[in-house]
Amino acid sequence: MSTSFDEAALASGDGSSRPVDPSPPLSPNPPDIAQRLEVAWGESPGLKGWFGSVDHKVIGIRYLFTAFLFLVVGGCEALVMRIQLARPDATVLTPEQYNQLFSMHGVTMIFLYALPILSGFSNFLWPLMLGSRDMAFPRLNALSYWLFLAAGIFLYLSFPFGAAPDGGWFAYVPNTASEFSPGLNIDVYCLGLIFLGISTTVGSANFVVTLLRMRAPGMSINRLPIIVWGTLTASVANLFAVPAVSLACLFLWFDRNLGTHFFEVSGGGQPLLWQHLFWIFGHPWVYAIVLPAMGMVSDALPVHCRRPLVGYTLVAMATVATMVVGFGVWLHHMFATGVPTLALSFFSAASFVIAIPSAVSVFAWIATIWTGRARITVPFLFFTSVILLFVIGGVSGVMTASLVLDWQLTDTYFIVAHLHYVLIGINLFAVVGAVYHWFPKMSGRMMDERLGRWVFGLMFIGFNLAFLPMHWLGLAGMPRRVWTYGADMGFSTTNMIVTIGAFLFAFGLLLFFINIWRGARAGRVAGPNPWDGPTLEWAIASPPPVYNFAVIPLVASRHPLWEDRLGDTDERSLFAEGFLLDQGKETLAVTPLDGEPDVILKMPGDSWLPFALSISLMPLFVGLLMHSVALAAIGALAALIILILWFAPHPATVQDEAVRVYG
Amino acid sequence: MAEARSLEERLPVHGMGMVGTPWWGMLCLFATEGILFAYLIFSYAYLGSQGYQSWPPTGGPPGLKLALPATILLVGSSFVLEWAKNRARAGRLVIARWALALGILMGIGFVGLSLEEWHDKPFALSTDSYSSIYFVLTGTHLAHVAIGLIALLVLLVWSLTGRVGAGHEQHRTLATLYWHFVDVVWLFVFATIYLSPRLA
Amino acid sequence: MRRARLCLAGALALGGCSGTPLGYMSGSGSESGDILQRIAWGFSAIAVVVTLIILLLIGAAIGVSIRRARREPGAAVARETGGLSFIYWGVGLSMPVLIAMAVWNFIATRAVAEAPAAPGLTVEVTGHRWWWEIRYRDPGQPDHVITTANQLVIPTGVPVRIDLTSGDVIHDFWVPKLGPKMDMIPGRTNVTWLEARDAGSYRGQCAEYCGLEHARMAFEVTALASPAFARWMAAERAPATLSDTRGQQLFMARCAACHTVRGTGAAGIYGPDLTHFASRPTIAAGLLPNSVAARERWLAETQAVKPGALMPQVELGDADRHAVVRYLGSLQ
């Protein structure tokens, strides 16, 4: 059964009012059932519906908006830094201003943009791709978003007071100890990261349990989209990694405020303990912020190549392998600290090894293009550029894996070049491509392809103009984290080129946001499946109904919507018949490995509690920051009461229910 | 013609234990909190391996006079609470409530003995690296115990006021499971602070 | 081979014969520097070649793909075979490259990390916010310490052991043209070593973020042939000559609380030792050349020159400042 959508019209991007995909969605949505489900799942009216929404799609889009906002703020911080660095001995900024900017640029991009943007996509897409009506814990989902927003506000409220963190995003002690950083700046950092860590942890738990239980019948482990593999791997990793940085921040806050000696050298403290705990978290984290993005490329690029991903099993295993090895390389951030060379050599070896699973994805993508029939759409351009930028970041990474060479490269602009190629190249370029790809599903409208090509050109050229020369700057000896440099160092011309590239790149991003805005207002109507994709999210309307699927589908393969045309199995996924689950706000849970229907779950409706809990943590953290026991106690008490309300049991519990089906 | 209809088959609603979702959420909590204690123990070992000749720096291994009875109370309370959960599931709510109350008292006893031990220590939080990690490691565990006690108390109150009955298996299971987790973590903390200096 | 030499020459010409002052791709002054230079060029070349190969593969893939799309238009999707071989070949070919790089890395690490023989000289370098304290300990008389600042003078052809620590936060000792970098961590001593082959000046820079003026914490390594080094050592060992000038009086009154000048009563330890200040090539930790004009500027507007420096602005009238500068100039 092929779709009848208009390939030619898609290519030309004309503004006709006919939907790109005029067919009705594959998953049936009968009016009487739709009405009943709408009542059960619909948003509450007024403020409660806005503040209390537990709809994963609403939460996902909120994550995207907020993460993009932080991207812009972090980007502006970078642009101001680049103005200062464009010329030698410039005095556009004072050293303190520059140090706050580069520290907050790092914190904003790595914590407030890179993971939340991927959480936003995963939140929106997972239930749709898995054939479910919601995530496992809808209120926890809302909580993870509100906590993220609250922690971001907490961190940024420091700026107007001139107290923004200024010790770098990595905050090495003793520079960040109270003796050398006497203000509140680093306390904001410690408490802010602990605050944010709660959001990351509850979000990760939600993804793990959702994957294990909230799938359509037949959605077995080997049929999951790669973004699910990527986010699942990242979530499991975050559960194990985030406590390390939270503990480090707790230790640092204690050293600064209660006189302990975790890192304070007087009294036996160890500065390197901070670095160990930080990087035991930090290295897995950088994989957590790229693996889901790689998953998005693995899912969406094949759609534009008109074929399934090459090497699905290898790519899925490589995703997990990368993360596992990623826990064993953290000392490569500490190669110059004087740790014995023998120990460091093991970590150097592991850092070479980790290149191999990454190579699997790269060649899988190239193979998918080579053996497919590519449609040069804007998403295709972005996803393909991820391959090249990933490789550049990867080979510079292999250079830094070398212990001896890293003894020259570390703490120079070479590392800045490497990290931006992997983070912007894999995360941001994949994210932008993913927006072009899934915006039709989220909003029901297409983004303009022609403007999209301009966005791609400006971003690609600007990014490479800014960051390719940084490799040379690093090899020429320019150190990192410097607010200025001398005119006789030989860095001047290159820095000017970098600044120009940065502004070009930023202009491209500006056009990207304009593209989104125009698309939302007046883009061409998309229909259910404008790209002719194979996975479940394309079987429902764009935008999806609030309950996602009226009839829960039965999944028979990895590419439910392509089964007829691929012809490699006789089994067919079933959309027209399936579980109905319309006795209130219900969805289905399945067994973890095989996806057999297991239990009916009653889902919570809109609730004030997640928002209230996030608000109540503000006085707790502000109280700790300002040494106000009263304020902190109020916050803690409020949080406790809200938690008791959260877990309060329903009065009567139905033990089982007759199954209702459609068809 | 497609239509909606009910089948003979019935599926459980919510589910108890592994069938529902909250049990898996609790496992995620154990993973993340458990590794937090692993990092605390790592920090204890790291601080001890660098610099100081002996660890603890002064006074030798910490005494077991209070720690051993505290451990017995905590481990015992786990058994008591597990038994209470089983009685409640069987519908014997009155005896279950008494057992729950006993378990809570044993937990409070653990907290009391721990605070007494803190009070007796010749060093303060800010004395040196050993005192810092000692108080934060045991303190983090104590905070987890306190949260567990609050949860059990709330459960008891709900039971007495009829909000929780025989059918609310999930609440009892999860609260008891959390308590067992806190208990198991204590065994590791105990081994680190009280046993490892005696083995070195 | 000739092509390679031409390319190398071209690259060197672009960078100058010794490249940039802090660059380690050219201008190496030691055997360690040579090893590091070779592996930097070698790995960079591999990186560039791999990138170009991938670029070509992507281009070819797009070309093949578009051609197939034109031949078979329509809404069909198909699973062409043969895709997996890309992964097997790609990963398979990557592995020997990675192994070769890893082996090269291990060989170079051993050569650079271990000092060749017993060190002929040990120097203690302590990092401070934002200057370098350098102490020479005479092996025959370990109590005789010669303290200087911001300029590390070493003999050529002698392995010099460097004991690194910090008086405050973590700094990093890095002389790119002579050897690898090493952190300076308070509470512990890290050991590195240098052996300069050629006499000359080599720039050093702090390579670990250490606060406000991390950018301005540089130093110079001066490598002298052994006879010249011995002369330097003798001159350095000698105390400053006393003179009864207004400049010295002012110095004792306004500067001696933080700075030491051996042979006078000035014994402050918060700032750099200034006993033979005038013999150094730069001031303010590599920021300005050690000229009269620069000394004047440094004293007149300290915070404007190096904002955040821990040396406070010392208020001096013009005549007094000239006198102090003259006195400093006499500290050869």
Side-chain angles (χ1 to χ4, degrees):
Chain A
M1 181 181 38
S2 65
T3 63
S4 56
F5 82 108
D6 199 334
E7 278 246 35
L10 178 64
S12 73
D14 76 59
S16 90
S17 58
R18 188 159 157 268
V20 176
D21 176 13
S23 354
L26 264 179
S27 179
N29 201 16
D32 52 336
I33 294 168
Q35 199 174 42
R36 202 158 50 242
L37 289 172
E38 188 67 51
V39 166
W41 288 84
E43 213 167 79
S44 310
L47 287 177
K48 183 174 185 189
W50 201 89
F51 285 98
S53 175
V54 292
D55 181 357
H56 71 95
K57 302 181 284 299
V58 168
I59 294 169
I61 292 180
R62 278 183 186 162
Y63 258 110
L64 294 178
F65 261 111
T66 311
F68 274 136
L69 182 69
F70 282 119
L71 175 72
V72 169
V73 172
C76 290
E77 286 159 352
L79 289 178
V80 176
M81 285 156 57
R82 283 315 318 172
I83 295 174
Q84 162 65 16
L85 290 173
R87 285 164 305 133
D89 291 317
T91 48
V92 173
L93 297 171
T94 66
E96 177 59 24
Q97 288 171 335
Y98 183 88
N99 294 342
Q100 288 189 14
L101 280 176
F102 93 74
S103 304
M104 284 306 282
H105 169 75
V107 169
T108 304
M109 292 307 200
I110 296 181
F111 290 112
L112 299 175
Y113 160 74
L115 191 81
I117 196 83
L118 300 178
S119 299
F121 275 105
S122 296
N123 245 315
F124 184 90
L125 288 173
W126 268 38
L128 304 183
M129 287 173 150
L130 296 173
S132 173
R133 287 204 177 134
D134 207 330
M135 305 279 290
F137 304 120
R139 288 180 304 178
L140 204 67
N141 207 11
L143 179 69
S144 73
Y145 170 74
W146 290 118
L147 285 173
F148 156 54
L149 181 63
I153 291 174
F154 179 85
L155 282 163
Y156 266 89
L157 273 178
S158 61
F159 252 130
F161 296 98
D166 57 355
W169 84 278
F170 50 94
Y172 279 2
V173 296
N175 187 46
T176 48
S178 47
E179 184 184 346
F180 304 108
S181 291
L184 282 179
N185 317 49
I186 304 299
D187 295 306
V188 172
Y189 173 89
C190 293
L191 294 171
L193 285 194
I194 294 175
F195 200 167
L196 189 66
I198 308 173
S199 167
T200 312
T201 303
V202 302
S204 300
N206 208 357
F207 282 120
V208 171
V209 181
T210 301
L211 181 280
L212 289 174
R213 306 302 311 283
M214 315 289 287
R215 316 196 300 261
M219 176 65 82
S220 53
I221 291 280
N222 63 334
R223 293 176 181 159
L224 301 170
I226 302 285
I227 184 186
V228 176
W229 279 103
T231 308
L232 173 70
T233 308
S235 300
V236 173
N238 283 339
L239 287 177
F240 290 114
V242 169
V245 71
S246 300
L247 187 63
C249 286
L250 184 78
F251 283 169
L252 181 56
W253 190 81
F254 268 58
D255 267 16
R256 291 174 55 84
N257 293 278
L258 298 176
T260 49
H261 299 272
F262 293 104
F263 313 122
E264 283 289 333
V265 174
S266 66
Q270 297 293 319
L272 285 184
L273 178 61
W274 168 270
Q275 294 191 29
H276 280 294
L277 287 173
F278 187 84
W279 289 116
I280 287 174
F281 151 80
H283 198 85
W285 182 260
V286 301
Y287 284 105
I289 59 183
V290 297
L291 287 173
M294 290 167 62
M296 294 201 292
V297 176
S298 294
D299 287 329
L301 177 64
V303 176
H304 298 269
C305 294
R306 320 300 292 124
R307 64 149 294 151
L309 175 70
V310 169
Y312 170 95
T313 307
L314 285 173
V315 172
M317 292 200 307
T319 304
V320 176
T322 305
M323 198 73 238
V324 169
V325 179
F327 271 91
V329 298
W330 85 87
L331 262 145
H332 70 214
H333 299 271
M334 296 166 64
F335 274 166
T337 54
V339 170
T341 308
L342 183 60
L344 293 180
S345 295
F346 282 111
F347 285 86
S348 179
S351 304
F352 277 102
V353 164
I354 205 167
I356 295 171
S358 305
V360 169
S361 292
V362 166
F363 289 107
W365 295 334
I366 293 177
T368 305
I369 299 174
W370 195 299
T371 59
R373 273 164 290 122
R375 228 169 28 193
I376 313 297
T377 55
V378 171
F380 178 86
L381 289 173
F382 276 99
F383 296 135
T384 307
S385 65
V386 167
I387 306 177
L388 179 66
L389 301 177
F390 183 178
V391 167
I392 296 176
V395 296
S396 63
V398 170
M399 288 174 67
T400 63
S402 157
L403 175 58
V404 68
L405 184 54
D406 192 61
W407 282 338
Q408 294 286 45
L409 299 173
T410 194
D411 251 280
T412 69
Y413 262 77
F414 191 89
I415 307 294
V416 181
H418 161 69
L419 76 91
H420 284 90
Y421 264 92
V422 285
L423 292 184
I424 298 184
I426 309 178
N427 181 300
L428 183 59
F429 273 77
V431 161
V432 174
V435 170
Y436 281 93
H437 183 79
W438 277 297
F439 181 84
K441 178 55 57 183
M442 294 176 179
S443 69
R445 294 179 178 278
M446 308 296 290
M447 288 170 70
D448 183 48
E449 283 277 304
R450 201 166 42 199
L451 184 54
R453 282 182 229 279
W454 276 97
V455 171
F456 173 75
L458 281 168
M459 281 182 66
F460 188 81
I461 294 172
F463 171 75
N464 283 295
L465 192 64
F467 291 96
L468 207 53
M470 277 192 193
H471 293 102
W472 183 88
L473 274 178
L475 294 170
M478 182 169 175
R480 289 175 80 170
R481 301 155 183 164
V482 290
W483 71 281
T484 189
Y485 53 90
D488 52 345
M489 289 290 110
F491 307 144
S492 312
T493 315
T494 312
N495 267 293
M496 179 56 83
I497 296 173
V498 166
T499 298
I500 293 171
F503 274 88
L504 211 60
F505 179 57
F507 186 53
L509 268 169
L510 175 65
L511 284 185
F512 170 62
F513 291 121
I514 292 176
N515 205 348
I516 294 178
W517 180 70
R518 283 180 53 183
R521 284 189 61 211
R524 182 152 171 220
V525 173
N529 196 358
W531 304 114
D532 191 19
T535 40
L536 292 178
E537 78 268 27
W538 303 111
I540 52 181
S542 308
V546 68
Y547 44 85
N548 301 346
F549 297 89
V551 179
I552 307 288
L554 177 69
V555 175
S557 78
R558 223 173 266 159
H559 307 95
L561 277 63
W562 282 359
E563 279 154 1
D564 280 330
R565 287 176 284 168
L566 285 176
D568 45 19
T569 168
D570 283 331
E571 297 188 36
R572 291 290 176 265
S573 299
L574 207 52
F575 291 96
E577 302 169 24
F579 285 92
L580 200 53
L581 300 170
D582 59 349
Q583 308 288 86
K585 195 172 181 187
E586 312 184 312
T587 189
L588 192 67
V590 299
T591 56
L593 284 179
D594 294 323
E596 309 257 324
D598 206 12
V599 63
I600 294 172
L601 297 174
K602 298 285 190 188
M603 308 305 275
D606 291 352
S607 163
W608 280 104
L609 294 177
F611 179 72
L613 185 55
S614 306
I615 297 281
S616 77
L617 288 179
M618 269 294 205
L620 173 61
F621 282 98
V622 173
L624 289 171
L625 181 69
M626 310 300 292
H627 294 183
S628 163
V629 176
L631 199 55
I634 289 172
L637 193 60
L640 184 62
I641 293 171
I642 293 168
L643 280 171
I644 293 174
L645 290 172
W646 191 303
F647 289 113
H650 298 285
T653 44
V654 170
Q655 292 302 325
D656 62 13
E657 194 178 280
V659 173
R660 280 174 57 75
V661 297
Y662 182 84
Chain B
M1 184 59 213
E3 47 147 27
R5 62 186 196 280
S6 298
L7 299 179
E8 287 297 317
E9 237 184 294
R10 297 176 82 79
L11 274 180
V13 172
H14 278 304
M16 303 309 163
M18 280 194 259
V19 185
T21 44
W23 187 86
W24 297 85
M26 191 57 89
L27 280 194
C28 290
L29 183 72
F30 295 164
T32 206
E33 296 296 298
I35 204 109
L36 176 69
F37 284 96
Y39 293 131
L40 277 161
I41 292 173
F42 164 78
S43 302
Y44 174 95
Y46 186 84
L47 288 170
S49 69
Q50 312 280 319
Y52 281 114
Q53 297 294 69
S54 64
W55 189 250
T58 54
L64 293 169
K65 185 182 63 171
L66 292 170
L68 217 39
T71 305
I72 292 169
L73 272 179
L74 192 63
V75 174
S77 68
S78 261
F79 284 99
V80 170
L81 287 168
E82 184 70 21
W83 188 76
K85 185 188 78 177
N86 289 330
R87 292 293 85 209
R89 186 192 301 144
R92 309 285 307 277
L93 290 177
V94 174
I95 188 104
R97 284 187 203 128
W98 278 108
L100 176 56
L102 176 62
I104 291 172
L105 280 172
M106 293 170 81
I108 293 176
F110 173 86
V111 174
L113 287 172
S114 300
L115 290 176
E116 175 76 23
E117 172 142 13
W118 275 15
H119 180 75
D120 284 348
K121 285 292 177 193
F123 48 72
L125 177 64
S126 57
T127 303
D128 57 21
S129 56
Y130 178 82
S131 71
S132 303
I133 189 67
Y134 169 83
F135 282 114
V136 172
L137 175 53
T138 53
T140 305
H141 179 260
L142 218 52
H144 282 74
V145 171
I147 290 171
L149 281 174
I150 293 173
L152 292 172
L153 265 166
V154 170
L155 192 63
L156 183 60
V157 168
W158 281 341
S159 181
L160 289 169
T161 57
R163 287 205 72 170
V164 159
H168 289 97
E169 177 69 15
Q170 207 159 65
H171 281 79
R172 283 191 299 271
T173 305
L174 295 177
T176 318
L177 204 57
Y178 178 81
W179 192 259
H180 295 327
F181 164 75
V182 165
D183 197 342
V184 169
V185 167
W186 171 250
L187 296 177
F188 283 95
V189 174
F190 179 81
T192 302
I193 298 218
Y194 296 94
L195 297 184
S196 71
R198 291 178 161 83
L199 297 170
Chain C
M1 194 55 202
R2 203 169 141 265
R3 285 264 305 279
R5 246 185 257 133
L6 273 175
C7 289
L8 189 62
L12 281 174
L14 281 173
C17 274
S18 54
T20 53
L22 285 172
Y24 40 92
M25 302 293 275
S26 56
S28 155
S30 70
E31 203 176 304
S32 285
D34 288 346
I35 295 170
L36 290 163
Q37 203 172 290
R38 269 198 298 274
I39 198 170
W41 277 102
F43 277 28
S44 297
I46 294 173
V48 169
V49 166
V50 168
T51 303
L52 288 174
I53 291 175
I54 296 291
L55 187 58
L56 283 170
L57 277 176
I58 294 175
I62 294 176
V64 170
S65 205
I66 293 179
R67 235 175 306 131
R68 188 181 292 111
R70 292 218 180 101
R71 267 186 288 128
E72 306 164 36
V77 297
R79 191 195 299 274
E80 304 272 340
T81 51
L84 275 179
S85 60
F86 279 86
I87 302 180
Y88 296 138
W89 276 101
V91 175
L93 287 175
S94 303
M95 290 223 250
V97 175
L98 284 170
I99 292 172
M101 291 172 84
V103 169
W104 188 350
N105 159 64
F106 291 126
I107 296 172
T109 303
R110 288 203 62 189
V112 167
E114 298 168 1
L121 176 67
T122 300
V123 184
E124 296 161 19
V125 181
T126 301
H128 296 277
R129 289 188 301 162
W130 299 290
W131 58 279
W132 309 81
E133 178 188 342
I134 297 165
R135 287 189 304 280
Y136 296 82
R137 222 171 265 276
D138 195 334
Q141 298 173 289
D143 290 337
H144 282 197
V145 178
I146 299 166
T147 306
T148 177
N150 297 331
Q151 181 196 21
L152 175 64
V153 182
I154 56 175
T156 58
V158 172
V160 178
R161 174 183 150 138
I162 315 218
D163 288 350
L164 299 166
T165 188
S166 167
D168 42 36
V169 302
I170 298 183
H171 301 277
D172 189 286
F173 177 89
W174 187 38
V175 191
K177 295 198 197 294
L178 290 182
K181 56 172 67 79
M182 176 68 82
D183 278 354
M184 308 155 85
I185 303 172
R188 72 188 263 156
T189 302
N190 279 342
V191 179
T192 189
W193 69 280
L194 292 179
E195 182 177 335
R197 180 181 50 222
D198 315 318
S201 288
Y202 304 95
R203 178 119 170 147
Q205 181 91 26
C206 176
E208 184 61 67
Y209 178 63
C210 50
L212 270 178
E213 279 288 24
H214 163 63
R216 296 300 197 28
M217 187 171 161
F219 64 103
E220 196 156 300
V221 175
T222 307
L224 300 171
S226 288
F229 177 76
R231 280 197 301 278
W232 177 86
M233 214 33 171
E236 197 68 26
R237 205 178 279 125
T241 44
L242 281 172
S243 64
D244 196 20
T245 58
R246 172 131 182 82
Q248 183 179 347
Q249 284 165 6
L250 281 166
F251 184 91
M252 294 304 298
R254 312 295 300 280
C255 317
C258 295
H259 293 282
T260 295
V261 177
R262 269 179 292 119
T264 71
I269 54 166
Y270 299 107
D273 183 298
L274 298 178
T275 309
H276 296 285
F277 167 79
S279 67
R280 295 178 198 155
T282 59
I283 64 172
L287 182 56
L288 299 170
N290 197 355
S291 64
V292 172
R295 293 172 202 155
E296 286 276 349
R297 222 184 123 212
W298 176 247
L299 285 180
E301 31 178 51
T302 313
Q303 290 299 315
V305 171
K306 192 167 176 178
L310 293 176
M311 171 162 155
Q313 180 63 53
V314 180
E315 296 301 336
L316 287 169
D318 283 347
D320 284 346
R321 194 177 59 250
H322 297 324
V324 175
V325 168
R326 265 199 305 280
Y327 172 66
L328 288 172
S330 75
L331 295 172
Q332 286 293 343

